[in-house]
Amino acid sequence: MDNPKLKTQNSKLLRDVQKTPDTRKIPISKVGVKDISYPIVVMDKNRKFQQTVARVNMYVDLPHHFKGTHMSRFIEILNAYREEIALDKMESILQRMKEKLGASSAHLEIEFPYFIEKRAPVSGARSLMEYTCSFVGTLGEEFDFVLGVTVPVTSLCPCSKELSRYGAHNQRSAITVRVRYSDFIWIEDLVAMIEECGSSPVWSLLKREDEKFVTERAYENPKFVEDIVREATQRLLSLEAITWFSVEAENYESIHKHSAYAAIERDRRKK
């Protein structure tokens, strides 16, 4: 059997290299662990909670006089919050990181797949759509939090529609939105709003009648990448709860080797 007393004695004999002084006088803004795979719990508008698996990054600042940080303590903190890694625990986890690692600022980045049940537009066939979401929290003197979602849509080129005798080229597009807010915003509501900014939403499951509807809808609703970010900006500005946002759109062009890209950022906190 393990001897706790012997373990304590051995640990006292081991030198803590991370705490040794560094003479270069260079502080480090972020140091920590990256790309940890970990289960988390996310609030679900329709089912209360959704369990998923996230990729987690954890960082703290390091004063110039310390040689290194204690990497194992990041994992210990994750394990301490094992069943509680959720949005409402972000600030508590960050505070614990600051305390346990003796830091003045802490950063937590969580990226995860989130699933929403959707019904096909004509047949009503049900399927799950996956969206990449993120929670990014920082705690220095104040707590800062950013919610992010990436929403796939279809975009149809207005120029191609104008020039071509036989239809128009379209492609999959990704709209990434990040928001700060004063009142809680559901992921589902943000996704639904952004899906309407492309030529058409996309679905995991479509029957023939749905495919007809989706392709015709896209053809009747052509959008440049610039149109997509402007449309998203108008919709985001209509929500008073949003205090800051950024929106990016990338069209994975079907007739070009490159992608088309556009981005807009707005900060309502500035006076």
Side-chain angles (χ1 to χ4, degrees), residues 100-223:
K100 197 166 181 65
L101 289 145
S104 60
S105 65
H107 313 273
L108 180 59
E109 301 171 357
I110 301 175
E111 184 176 285
F112 55 93
Y114 187 78
F115 294 88
I116 299 176
E117 184 177 79
K118 291 182 67 177
R119 299 185 64 174
V122 180
S123 70
R126 297 176 184 270
S127 62
L128 290 176
M129 269 289 295
E130 177 186 346
Y131 302 88
T132 300
C133 301
S134 64
F135 296 158
V136 178
T138 297
L139 183 62
E141 293 183 0
E142 296 182 355
F143 175 60
D144 180 59
F145 174 76
V146 176
L147 167 65
V149 297
T150 297
V151 180
V153 297
T154 292
S155 61
L156 185 132
C157 177
C159 185
S160 177
K161 179 179 177 179
E162 180 70 22
L163 297 173
S164 177
R165 294 170 57 195
Y166 304 109
H169 82 83
N170 58 10
Q171 55 272 318
R172 181 85 59 81
S173 302
I175 309 173
T176 299
V177 172
R178 298 177 181 88
V179 300
R180 291 182 172 95
Y181 52 77
S182 56
D183 292 316
F184 181 77
I185 295 175
W186 289 102
I187 291 175
E188 289 85 348
D189 293 342
L190 194 55
V191 166
M193 172 187 291
I194 299 306
E195 279 188 324
E196 295 301 317
C197 297
S199 297
S200 172
V202 298
W203 285 263
S204 293
L205 174 62
L206 293 172
K207 298 295 189 178
R208 281 176 294 181
E209 58 268 37
D210 301 310
E211 289 191 20
K212 172 179 165 62
F213 176 87
V214 170
T215 53
E216 289 178 351
R217 175 177 177 176
Y219 188 77
E220 293 167 358
N221 190 29
K223 294 282 182 72

Side-chain angles (χ1 to χ4, degrees), residues 157 159-160 169 171 251-260:
C157 177
C159 185
S160 177
H169 82 83
Q171 55 272 318
N251 291 355
Y252 304 105
E253 297 285 296
S254 59
I255 64 170
H256 301 292
K257 178 68 176 174
H258 57 266
S259 295

Side-chain angles (χ1 to χ4, degrees), residues 175 177 179 190 193-194 196-198 221 223 225-242 245-248 263-266 268:
I175 309 173
V177 172
V179 300
L190 194 55
M193 172 187 291
I194 299 306
E196 295 301 317
C197 297
N221 190 29
K223 294 282 182 72
V225 70
E226 298 92 335
D227 295 317
I228 292 173
V229 294
R230 284 171 171 153
E231 179 70 24
T233 295
Q234 284 186 321
R235 291 172 183 265
L236 291 164
L237 287 172
S238 71
L239 295 180
E240 293 184 5
I242 293 178
F245 68 84
S246 69
V247 55
E248 303 174 62
I264 293 175
E265 180 179 342
R266 291 285 187 274
R268 286 169 152 173

